[in-house]
Amino acid sequence: TILRDFRDNWLKHQPTGVLDIAEYYDKAPKIVEKINALPDAKVIWEELYLTLVLPCVEMIKAGEMEKAYRLYKWSARDLMERYG
């Protein structure tokens, strides 16, 4: 809920927000499919939850939207390089 609210009420109003959201919907399903096909998928998802999802949620709760956005962008690039 917090991440959806961030996307819908903050990110989409940023200069590249609409493009970021479109890129997410284009590329994320492919990344998810590739990760899910790996034998250590559960470990990868747990790591992403701990290193991306939880920190972003905490940053958003603290009003640190830019900081959460930077972590998201860095993570998205990293995931594309590894699984894209």
Side-chain angles (χ1 to χ4, degrees):
T1 303
I2 290 171
L3 294 173
R4 261 187 244 114
D5 184 61
F6 173 76
R7 177 196 65 205
D8 295 342
N9 296 305
W10 187 84
L11 181 57
K12 81 175 185 181
H13 300 290
Q14 302 309 302
T16 62
V18 172
L19 292 173
D20 288 333
I21 293 167
E23 181 179 41
Y24 169 81
Y25 281 107
D26 178 53
K27 295 180 180 177
K30 297 166 192 159
I31 293 170
V32 168
E33 185 178 326
K34 287 185 179 182
I35 292 173
N36 284 342
L38 297 171
D40 61 341
K42 184 176 179 179
V43 172
I44 295 167
W45 290 124
E46 288 172 359
E47 179 185 326
L48 282 170
Y49 183 74
L50 293 173
T51 62
L52 174 62
V53 175
L54 286 181
C56 280
V57 167
E58 291 304 313
M59 290 172 200
I60 293 164
K61 285 181 178 179
E64 298 174 325
M65 307 305 195
E66 287 287 339
K67 192 173 177 182
Y69 175 70
R70 285 192 304 272
L71 176 58
Y72 161 76
K73 286 297 282 186
W74 179 86
S75 297
R77 285 188 197 112
D78 180 58
L79 288 168
M80 278 301 301
E81 287 177 14
R82 290 198 284 172
Y83 307 108

